[in-house]
Amino acid sequence: MLAAISVIAGAFAGPLADAGAEPVHAIAMHGEPALPAGFDHLPYVNPEALQGGRVAYGVVGTFDNVRPFIVRSMRTTARGVVDPEFGNLIYETLMQRSQDEPFTLYGLLAETVEWDEDRSFIQYNLNPRARWSDGVPVTADDVIFTMELLRDKGRPPFSTRLNRVAKMEKISELSVRFTFNEESNREYPLILSLSPVLPRHATDPDSFDQTSLTPGIGSGPYLISEIKPGERITFTRRDDYWAKDLPIKRGIDNYDQITVEYFLSETAQFEAFKKGVFDVYPDGSVTNWARGYNFPAVAAGDVVRKEYERQTPSGMYGFVFNTRRPLFEDVRVRAALTMLFDFEWANRSLYDNAYTRTQSFWDSSELSSHGKPADAREREILAPFPAAVTEEIMEGRRTLPVTDGSGSDRKVQRAALTLLQEAGYRIEAGRLLDQAGRPFAFALMTQNEGQEKLAVAFQRSLAALGIQMTIRTVDDAQYQQRSQTFDYDMIMKSFPSSMSPGTEQLSRWGSASRDQEGSFNFAGAANPAIDATIDAMLNSRTAEDFRSAVRAFDRVLLSGHYVIPAFHLGKAWVAHRSRIAAPEGEPPLYGYYLPAWWDTSAKP
């Protein structure tokens, strides 16, 4: 038990009653929820979707357990158990996120919630109909048990959820209240609301942190019906699912059976899709999308392709410097290498000019700082850190170099060399050397053919200035292990972004995560300006202040040159069997939503 947290069981009477608030059906990070109490269904689903049938998904990787909350299974938990893409099929959360709003949650296990304007506490009032798959009711004791178990034996971020909690209080059999301490922020009640709940009566604390392929008891819409370790997991829908008629679930969880197939590589995955082994293939390869669909199932109309306009920020994909390495400590070095990535050549020669250069971590959205001078609130946030943001980025004038597309633009090369010379390097006998005569050499770790193709193009550009970059493509297991322990010089990574960035940024960029193995701070960032901008973002009270805080954060990351930005697509592509259908009309803000799709061949 943590000394900072007190747990009070039993009905509560006294001062707590004075801190009450009106129960609400939904909460939003900023503003009000879009859907009123008593709404019929989510706007991006078909409430009349056909029920039944089956779907199979395909993923690259492996799995050795069905416990998604423990350290030993951080990268190898079977997909679907708890899954933002396929749905939380076994374990459910207190509230569910709307895919059509930046950050709004509607009640699921918690029928209603209560909180105050300062967000100093939140109380969850559980739905009295909520049941585990064995028929036992879900109670406040389950919530408290789960929070303590995950704190003691779970993996991040579940293990740290109680760090911001001063008290957990059991108000009644179906109500539990969390009072926050000074480490909390305005986003944290929403993060806590996305916590899963486990059954106290059917969970053994002693063995919880051990990997296991024994299906657990959950409150979700499916049961695990078949497991082939590392190959396949199959889920079968419950006939007695307690929430199937809730508005938040209407038109969702439509299949009788969901199967997730595993493959060793993207090539094997796509070949299996062509042969009909699985049904839905989100395609992130411009080359494959343009040239890979000349197989018989497409010609016969058995496979269809859909293109969705993206409505969310681009995110950031690129080459990540490990600034823990002395070679990359100097920001001038990182800036020079950023200049040497010839996007124009790579986009034309490798990708049929399908990509757009990424200029910001929140490109293509109002949260991006690109092309916008800092406003008064941004300057206020950044004032204690005058060296954290370059003048051109502060004024919105910075744009990544545009080359002549030749692959050897001398103007760009000269500018990059000037920076390297300022950092103490020189070219001698065709090699870039430091002041001690040591060659500038490092390794880039990649994990697939797609990354390797882009890496070779970058390697060619660097060689023009005598920089020696070797490319090391490793298997998935080694890639994950080395990523978690920061055992690399440079790595290629994607940093997804949303319209409501929040606590997840602490693990990606916060100083405290720099030396925490298993965090997502791949760049090794430890910058007080980053910490301050994340803090401002998490504690913003208005949408305007939030936007300013995110832009300030964006400016600090860009000025630090932690990532060499590559590119992004303005569209999302997905191919699927023609019997699989999606709701008509505009997709939600966060793109197509697979749990709302259905099998048209199912028997009514």
Side-chain angles (χ1 to χ4, degrees), residues 175-322:
S175 295
V176 57
R177 177 175 294 207
F178 295 82
T179 301
F180 303 115
N181 59 32
E182 65 280 356
E183 295 183 22
S184 188
N185 53 59
R186 292 187 63 77
E187 186 195 42
Y188 195 68
L190 285 83
I191 297 299
L192 189 68
S193 301
L194 291 173
S195 296
V197 180
L198 307 175
R200 179 184 180 184
H201 70 284
T203 304
D204 179 12
D206 292 336
S207 61
F208 179 75
D209 56 355
Q210 305 299 310
T211 58
S212 174
L213 288 169
T214 301
I217 290 175
S219 62
Y222 289 82
L223 300 172
I224 295 174
S225 54
E226 181 188 29
I227 297 175
K228 290 191 174 181
E231 298 180 20
R232 177 186 307 113
I233 183 166
T234 301
F235 302 85
T236 300
R237 188 168 55 173
R238 293 171 50 188
D239 294 330
D240 60 347
Y241 176 47
W242 70 275
K244 61 183 177 181
D245 295 322
L246 291 184
I248 194 70
K249 282 291 190 173
R250 195 163 293 145
I252 296 175
D253 308 320
N254 299 313
Y255 305 105
D256 281 345
Q257 185 181 86
I258 297 175
T259 301
V260 182
E261 301 278 354
Y262 282 77
F263 303 95
L264 295 178
S265 68
E266 291 181 358
T267 299
Q269 179 191 19
F270 187 63
E271 288 300 315
F273 174 70
K274 290 164 62 175
K275 295 175 182 177
V277 175
F278 64 96
D279 303 314
V280 181
Y281 186 75
D283 198 332
S285 167
V286 294
T287 303
N288 196 62
W289 188 254
R291 307 173 187 174
Y293 290 85
N294 56 354
F295 52 94
V298 176
D302 295 330
V303 167
V304 296
R305 301 195 295 163
K306 291 185 178 179
E307 190 174 88
Y308 295 87
E309 294 290 336
R310 292 191 183 276
Q311 303 179 60
T312 53
S314 64
M316 177 63 73
Y317 170 67
F319 303 88
V320 183
F321 296 101
N322 186 353

Side-chain angles (χ1 to χ4, degrees), residues 102 233 301 348 369 379 385 508:
I233 183 166
R348 187 194 71 242
S369 67
R379 294 178 187 276
F385 315 100
R508 294 182 187 180

Side-chain angles (χ1 to χ4, degrees), residues 75 445 476-487:
R75 305 290 182 184
M445 184 173 71
D476 185 69
Q478 186 178 358
Y479 187 89
Q480 297 298 346
Q481 192 276 330
R482 291 182 61 181
S483 296
Q484 291 179 57
T485 57
F486 314 124
D487 181 19

Side-chain angles (χ1 to χ4, degrees), residues 138-159:
V138 180
T139 68
D141 289 328
D142 292 315
V143 176
I144 292 173
F145 167 80
T146 300
M147 292 296 177
E148 293 180 334
L149 181 63
L150 294 180
R151 176 200 61 197
D152 297 338
K153 293 198 171 185
R155 67 167 176 84
F158 307 108
S159 60

Side-chain angles (χ1 to χ4, degrees), residues 387-519:
V389 176
T390 66
E391 181 180 354
E392 63 174 358
I393 290 178
M394 186 72 84
E395 298 301 329
R397 299 194 308 267
R398 180 257 200 179
T399 298
L400 290 167
V402 178
T403 73
D404 59 13
S406 66
S408 57
D409 189 316
R410 293 188 178 276
K411 182 179 179 180
V412 174
Q413 290 174 351
R414 282 195 297 269
L417 180 58
T418 297
L419 282 175
L420 291 167
Q421 288 172 336
E422 291 176 3
Y425 290 90
R426 69 184 189 276
I427 293 181
E428 185 176 299
R431 297 189 303 168
L432 189 69
L433 307 177
D434 65 11
Q435 293 176 335
R438 293 170 298 203
F440 192 114
F442 67 95
L444 168 65
M445 184 173 71
T446 60
Q447 66 179 138
N448 56 50
E449 295 174 1
Q451 289 185 357
E452 190 174 284
K453 179 170 68 172
L454 185 61
V456 170
F458 187 35
Q459 182 185 52
R460 175 177 175 270
S461 297
L462 295 177
L465 288 189
I467 298 172
Q468 303 170 26
M469 184 184 84
T470 57
I471 302 169
R472 296 175 182 170
T473 300
V474 299
D475 61 33
D476 185 69
Q478 186 178 358
Y479 187 89
Q480 297 298 346
Q481 192 276 330
R482 291 182 61 181
S483 296
Q484 291 179 57
T485 57
F486 314 124
D487 181 19
Y488 50 84
D489 298 328
M490 180 181 282
I491 196 171
M492 297 179 73
K493 280 291 181 180
S494 177
F495 298 87
S497 59
S498 75
M499 292 299 293
S500 185
T503 303
E504 78 283 351
Q505 303 299 326
L506 293 169
S507 180
R508 294 182 187 180
W509 303 105
S511 296
S513 66
R514 181 183 189 273
D515 298 317
Q516 181 183 11
E517 289 191 2
S519 79

